[in-house]
Amino acid sequence: MDIFTVETKPYLDQSFGTSGLRRKSDIFRQENYLENIVQSIFDSLQGFEGQTLVIGGDGRYGNNEAIQKIIKMAIANQFGHIIVGQNGLLSTPATSHVITLNQAFGGIILTASHNPAGKNGDFGIKYNIATGGPAPESLTNIFIQKMHQIDRYWMIHTNDIDLSNVGEQTIGSSIVEVIDPVYDYTHYMEQIFDFNAIRKLFQKGFKMTYDAMNAVTGPYAKHIFEEVLGAQEGSVIRGTPIPDFGGIHPEPNLTYAKELVDLAYSPSAPDLCAASDGDGDRYMILGKSFFVNPADSLAILAENMEKIPFYKGRFYGAARSMPTGGAVDLVCQRLKKDCYQTPTGWKFFGSLLENQKISLCGEESFGAGSFHVMEKDGIWAILCWLNIMADTQKTPEELVRNMWKRYGRIYNQTINYDTDSAEKAKHLIDSLSAKLVSLPQKNIKNLTITEAHLFDYTDPVTKAQSTNQGVLIQFGPNDQAMIRLSGTVSSGATVKVYLHHKDTQTDLATEKALATLSEATQDILNIPKYLGKNVRITKT
Ligand code: G1P
Ligand code: ZN
């Protein structure tokens, strides 16, 4: 086998975080762009010779070419065993599981999550370590260093590897194993949930529609929901992965999964509507004419987690990111379990999950997970709901309304301000931070500001400190606003304003419940002054 060295020059725009690197597809198509990243990752790791590397991908445009290159580079760099999903498909949570199941050294995942794909869409790459979780910042910082210095990479000469059939091939001294992407994951889910109870639910005529959004979860959903659990054929819609996701934005929320939402609110609504994003780590839940807010969903999972066989006697506590509504805190209080508030980003849950501080965690952005894999997991979250519904014989609406009755309702909304000017957005946050000290005790629109501070976080396990993770403004015990800059936009900037209002009245329209808080927050932020008129505003 021929290993050759290719000379290359660094791309200084390359960066890398815990969710990897995401760029427009055509940026990735530049000569050696991907190769530089992959070799820099390998150059940063030690002791992987002869070990296993897992390669996953959400199937988006560019997926297969990238996988071919990565396999050839992994062999040239002396990995002994390369595991790749059939046809290059492996969801993010399934990749995480395959890594730990095979005691792999790590894994490379090709995804830009819920971002659109195709020639004009996004592509992305991330690296997960042996725990199955994303590479920590200490490691991704080394990746960046190497990327900015790289001058060569290694590759082997070989024909493209056939990824269409499951089985092993020997290439040089390495084994390339193509696996069924669905098999191990399904088996794991069978160990976690009461599949018999869920089967009975479907036997009794329970109807569900699952929208795979033309992305990676289609094959998982068809197999698990329809073939194994007995949901009616056709329950999974948009279930065949398409490289450009059929031109849609594969993000399960009220805006981008509109057809599913319309179905849930129509006379022919099934008992449950659910969806996942491009790479399968996010999820959305709707009952008949009833949307379950992700913060409420997390609280329902916490309240019922011990009903799920895998978690019996193992509900240690929960965590939510700070901008996520605090319904789960109320449940944990009653259960006398710890509840942590972390900065935005999945990486902050890792140490808590690994050290049994929590069993469950989630974010307002439709992600939830547990210690079963070190990634958030969409299909898993939906199976949680199915298991809970099978156990309680209650609808999503009944479950959520009962919870509101018990604890009060926390109304949540996120307002996104997209601007082309990252500078103006930063200015807004800076000037807000500067006036924080003078805010408390101010009365604005019938609300009194009782506290205003920057959100800093010390990891309870590692003691690592993260400062400046957003601005928190508390208006008494029941109202809170949080403001931060999005860390995931590929151009311009997005200012995110998160509103939380707790109320004993549980039947208000969200807009109405949040009206006073929203006006007060606008008053303080004065968005038009800083961002100008050319902002795009969306609410989720
Ligand atoms: C967004 C979400 C956040 C999530 C991240 C990665 O980040 O808000 O909850 O962890 O995507 O999926 P943001 O754009 O707000 O920085
Ligand atoms: Zn995702």
Short mmCIF file of all heavy atoms in Angstrom, two decimals, residues 22 58 60 92-93 111-115 250 252 276-282 376, ligand 2:
data_model
loop_
_atom_site.label_atom_id
_atom_site.label_comp_id
_atom_site.label_asym_id
_atom_site.label_seq_id
_atom_site.Cartn_x
_atom_site.Cartn_y
_atom_site.Cartn_z
N ARG A 22 -18.09 24.62 11.03
CA ARG A 22 -19.16 24.64 10.03
C ARG A 22 -18.92 25.80 9.08
O ARG A 22 -18.66 26.91 9.51
CB ARG A 22 -20.53 24.83 10.70
CG ARG A 22 -20.96 23.64 11.49
CD ARG A 22 -22.29 23.89 12.18
NE ARG A 22 -22.45 22.90 13.25
CZ ARG A 22 -23.35 22.99 14.21
NH1 ARG A 22 -24.18 24.02 14.25
NH2 ARG A 22 -23.41 22.07 15.14
N ASP A 58 -24.24 12.92 8.43
CA ASP A 58 -25.69 13.05 8.32
C ASP A 58 -26.17 12.96 6.87
O ASP A 58 -27.33 13.18 6.58
CB ASP A 58 -26.19 14.34 9.00
CG ASP A 58 -25.64 15.61 8.36
OD1 ASP A 58 -25.08 15.54 7.25
OD2 ASP A 58 -25.79 16.69 8.97
N ARG A 60 -25.37 14.70 4.22
CA ARG A 60 -25.54 15.91 3.43
C ARG A 60 -24.55 15.99 2.26
O ARG A 60 -23.53 15.29 2.23
CB ARG A 60 -25.46 17.16 4.29
CG ARG A 60 -24.10 17.44 4.91
CD ARG A 60 -24.11 18.71 5.72
NE ARG A 60 -25.04 18.68 6.84
CZ ARG A 60 -25.86 19.69 7.16
NH1 ARG A 60 -25.84 20.81 6.48
NH2 ARG A 60 -26.66 19.59 8.20
N THR A 92 -25.63 11.59 14.75
CA THR A 92 -24.68 12.01 15.78
C THR A 92 -24.80 11.16 17.06
O THR A 92 -23.79 10.64 17.55
CB THR A 92 -24.85 13.52 16.06
OG1 THR A 92 -24.45 14.22 14.88
CG2 THR A 92 -24.03 13.99 17.24
N PRO A 93 -26.02 10.98 17.62
CA PRO A 93 -26.08 10.13 18.82
C PRO A 93 -25.67 8.68 18.55
O PRO A 93 -25.03 8.05 19.41
CB PRO A 93 -27.55 10.21 19.27
CG PRO A 93 -28.29 10.87 18.17
CD PRO A 93 -27.31 11.65 17.36
N THR A 111 -21.21 16.81 9.78
CA THR A 111 -22.54 17.38 9.91
C THR A 111 -22.46 18.88 10.15
O THR A 111 -21.47 19.38 10.70
CB THR A 111 -23.32 16.75 11.08
OG1 THR A 111 -24.60 17.39 11.17
CG2 THR A 111 -22.61 16.89 12.41
N ALA A 112 -23.51 19.58 9.71
CA ALA A 112 -23.69 20.96 10.15
C ALA A 112 -25.04 21.03 10.84
O ALA A 112 -25.79 22.00 10.70
CB ALA A 112 -23.61 21.93 8.98
N SER A 113 -25.36 19.92 11.54
CA SER A 113 -26.56 19.82 12.38
C SER A 113 -27.84 20.19 11.65
O SER A 113 -28.18 19.58 10.64
CB SER A 113 -26.36 20.66 13.63
OG SER A 113 -27.39 20.41 14.55
N HIS A 114 -28.51 21.25 12.11
CA HIS A 114 -29.82 21.63 11.56
C HIS A 114 -29.69 22.66 10.45
O HIS A 114 -30.70 23.18 9.98
CB HIS A 114 -30.67 22.19 12.71
CG HIS A 114 -29.90 23.22 13.49
ND1 HIS A 114 -28.95 22.86 14.42
CD2 HIS A 114 -29.89 24.55 13.44
CE1 HIS A 114 -28.41 23.95 14.92
NE2 HIS A 114 -28.95 24.99 14.35
N ASN A 115 -28.46 22.99 10.05
CA ASN A 115 -28.30 23.97 8.97
C ASN A 115 -28.63 23.32 7.62
O ASN A 115 -28.34 22.16 7.41
CB ASN A 115 -26.86 24.49 8.92
CG ASN A 115 -26.51 25.31 10.14
OD1 ASN A 115 -27.28 25.37 11.08
ND2 ASN A 115 -25.34 25.91 10.14
N PRO A 250 -33.51 21.71 8.02
CA PRO A 250 -33.92 20.57 8.85
C PRO A 250 -33.80 20.86 10.35
O PRO A 250 -32.99 20.26 11.05
CB PRO A 250 -32.96 19.47 8.41
CG PRO A 250 -31.72 20.20 8.06
CD PRO A 250 -32.13 21.55 7.53
N PRO A 252 -36.12 21.11 13.75
CA PRO A 252 -37.47 20.87 14.28
C PRO A 252 -37.89 21.97 15.24
O PRO A 252 -37.52 21.97 16.40
CB PRO A 252 -37.32 19.53 15.01
CG PRO A 252 -35.89 19.47 15.40
CD PRO A 252 -35.11 20.28 14.42
N SER A 276 -37.04 15.34 14.14
CA SER A 276 -35.63 15.53 14.54
C SER A 276 -34.92 16.38 13.51
O SER A 276 -35.43 16.58 12.41
CB SER A 276 -34.90 14.19 14.64
OG SER A 276 -35.40 13.44 15.70
N ASP A 277 -33.71 16.80 13.84
CA ASP A 277 -32.98 17.68 12.91
C ASP A 277 -32.05 16.88 11.99
O ASP A 277 -32.06 15.64 12.01
CB ASP A 277 -32.19 18.74 13.70
CG ASP A 277 -30.97 18.16 14.41
OD1 ASP A 277 -31.00 16.98 14.76
OD2 ASP A 277 -29.98 18.90 14.60
N GLY A 278 -31.25 17.60 11.22
CA GLY A 278 -30.39 17.00 10.20
C GLY A 278 -29.58 15.82 10.68
O GLY A 278 -29.53 14.77 10.02
N ASP A 279 -28.92 15.93 11.83
CA ASP A 279 -28.04 14.85 12.29
C ASP A 279 -28.64 14.05 13.44
O ASP A 279 -27.97 13.19 14.03
CB ASP A 279 -26.67 15.42 12.70
CG ASP A 279 -26.77 16.37 13.88
OD1 ASP A 279 -27.80 17.05 14.01
OD2 ASP A 279 -25.83 16.43 14.68
N GLY A 280 -29.90 14.36 13.80
CA GLY A 280 -30.61 13.49 14.74
C GLY A 280 -30.40 13.76 16.21
O GLY A 280 -30.73 12.92 17.03
N ASP A 281 -29.86 14.93 16.57
CA ASP A 281 -29.70 15.15 18.01
C ASP A 281 -30.75 16.06 18.62
O ASP A 281 -30.86 16.14 19.84
CB ASP A 281 -28.27 15.62 18.35
CG ASP A 281 -27.86 16.87 17.62
OD1 ASP A 281 -28.66 17.38 16.81
OD2 ASP A 281 -26.73 17.34 17.85
N ARG A 282 -31.54 16.75 17.79
CA ARG A 282 -32.61 17.59 18.34
C ARG A 282 -33.97 16.92 18.12
O ARG A 282 -34.09 16.05 17.26
CB ARG A 282 -32.62 18.96 17.67
CG ARG A 282 -31.37 19.77 17.95
CD ARG A 282 -31.51 21.15 17.37
NE ARG A 282 -30.35 21.96 17.67
CZ ARG A 282 -30.33 23.29 17.59
NH1 ARG A 282 -31.40 23.95 17.22
NH2 ARG A 282 -29.23 23.96 17.88
N LYS A 376 -26.66 14.98 22.68
CA LYS A 376 -28.11 15.01 22.80
C LYS A 376 -28.68 14.03 21.77
O LYS A 376 -27.99 13.65 20.83
CB LYS A 376 -28.65 16.42 22.63
CG LYS A 376 -28.19 17.14 21.39
CD LYS A 376 -28.46 18.64 21.52
CE LYS A 376 -27.78 19.39 20.41
NZ LYS A 376 -27.47 20.76 20.74
ZN ZN B 2 -28.14 18.61 15.37
#
